[in-house]
Amino acid sequence: NMVSVATDATDLAITNILGSNIINTFVILGVTALVYPIASQKRSRDFDIPLSIFAGILVFGAVTIDSPVASGPFYEQGHGISRGEAIVLLGMFIYFLYNTFRHAKDNPEEQSPEELQVKSMALSKSILFILLGLVGLVIGGEVIVKSAVSLATQLGVSEAVIGLTVVALGTSLPELATSVMAAFKKNCDIALGNVIGSNIFNVFFVLGTSSLIKPLPGYEGIRLDAWIAAVGSMIVWLVVKTNHKREIPRWGGAI
């Protein structure tokens, strides 16, 4: 997203987020639930999933309502994400982090022994791996954006279409791998938290940071894409809440 913003490929920046959230919810949770029903924790049902619904509604509202016409750096006209709206998203991200850490501190019994086991690694090795990973992210971001723009040009479609499909699928592959492996190990409560947490981070942190650096203008069809992304979390919440096991069963995955 940072590369997209820096190179004025703003359609990629916003469709990457919307497309990734759509694929996370409909494809990853769908496939995972078909492999094995996805259990849910009370925390996810009562806080995380409703917050992801609210995140989707915020984005839909932002791209539906014109930004106020005013002078200064915090207002831009058009159906997109303005800097003022970016500040709201980042404020929600801070609230999400605060609430999550406070809940973890107040409820240490929810952490299983397997989750608390961490493989030791030397400090120098940890720093080296972080630096290598950051370099890889920058190079990968450059390659993805340039290739996506080139692909859109060759196929004669908009950058928005490529962002919603090819780029979004690429950025969702880690969640797909993690969730499907969790399903095969019958540890699917991790799968739900992984996807919902990713969706929340995508909207509040990634989209918020991107649009704070440079306002993201809308594109044709943005309201429909934003609405579908919001509806995904609503469907997950309804499926979880309407069955006695409080899970996403295989029929829910099929839906």
Side-chain angles (χ1 to χ4, degrees):
N1 265 42
M2 294 301 98
V3 174
S4 298
V5 168
T7 56
D8 286 327
T10 52
D11 279 3
L12 286 179
I14 195 166
T15 53
N16 175 38
I17 297 302
L18 294 178
S20 181
N21 282 15
I22 290 169
I23 291 172
N24 281 351
T25 305
F26 292 118
V27 178
I28 296 177
L29 286 183
V31 170
T32 304
L34 285 176
V35 174
Y36 192 80
I38 302 176
S40 69
Q41 295 180 350
K42 188 176 186 299
R43 162 77 178 183
S44 293
R45 298 192 298 270
D46 295 345
F47 180 77
D48 294 335
I49 300 176
L51 188 62
S52 69
I53 295 173
F54 181 65
I57 292 173
L58 268 183
V59 174
F60 177 74
V63 301
T64 299
I65 302 170
D66 274 349
S67 302
V69 179
S71 59
F74 291 98
Y75 297 95
E76 297 81 20
Q77 176 72 10
H79 297 288
I81 310 292
S82 69
R83 285 196 174 98
E85 290 157 347
I87 291 174
V88 174
L89 294 178
L90 289 172
M92 288 301 304
F93 178 68
I94 292 171
Y95 165 72
F96 166 68
L97 282 187
Y98 168 76
N99 193 289
T100 298
F101 282 116
R102 187 184 68 178
H103 178 82
K105 182 180 179 181
D106 294 342
N107 300 272
E109 70 281 357
E110 290 187 4
Q111 300 293 327
S112 68
E114 290 78 15
E115 291 175 320
L116 293 175
Q117 292 175 357
V118 179
K119 185 178 180 181
S120 179
M121 183 184 293
L123 179 61
S124 58
K125 188 176 180 180
S126 299
I127 293 174
L128 175 63
F129 279 9
I130 288 173
L131 292 176
L132 289 174
L134 287 173
V135 170
L137 281 174
V138 174
I139 295 173
E142 288 275 1
V143 172
I144 287 174
V145 171
K146 289 180 180 178
S147 301
V149 172
S150 175
L151 186 61
T153 303
Q154 293 178 38
L155 294 178
V157 298
S158 67
E159 291 177 11
V161 172
I162 300 300
L164 282 166
T165 54
V166 179
V167 178
L169 180 60
T171 56
S172 295
L173 287 178
E175 284 80 15
L176 178 60
T178 302
S179 299
V180 171
M181 286 302 297
F184 279 116
K185 294 179 180 179
K186 299 182 180 180
N187 195 7
C188 289
D189 55 335
I190 293 177
L192 183 60
N194 178 44
V195 166
I196 296 300
S198 176
N199 287 357
I200 292 172
F201 261 78
N202 280 347
V203 171
F204 290 147
F205 180 62
V206 182
L207 188 58
T209 303
S210 303
S211 48
L212 185 64
I213 294 172
K214 178 178 290 185
L216 303 179
Y219 58 89
E220 186 178 356
I222 188 172
R223 281 174 284 189
L224 177 61
D225 297 335
W227 178 242
I228 291 175
V231 166
S233 294
M234 297 179 192
I235 294 174
V236 171
W237 188 77
L238 285 173
V239 170
V240 168
K241 281 288 192 177
T242 53
N243 72 88
H244 67 282
K245 290 186 178 180
R246 296 292 187 263
E247 65 181 13
I248 302 179
R250 286 190 170 91
W251 62 260
I255 291 175

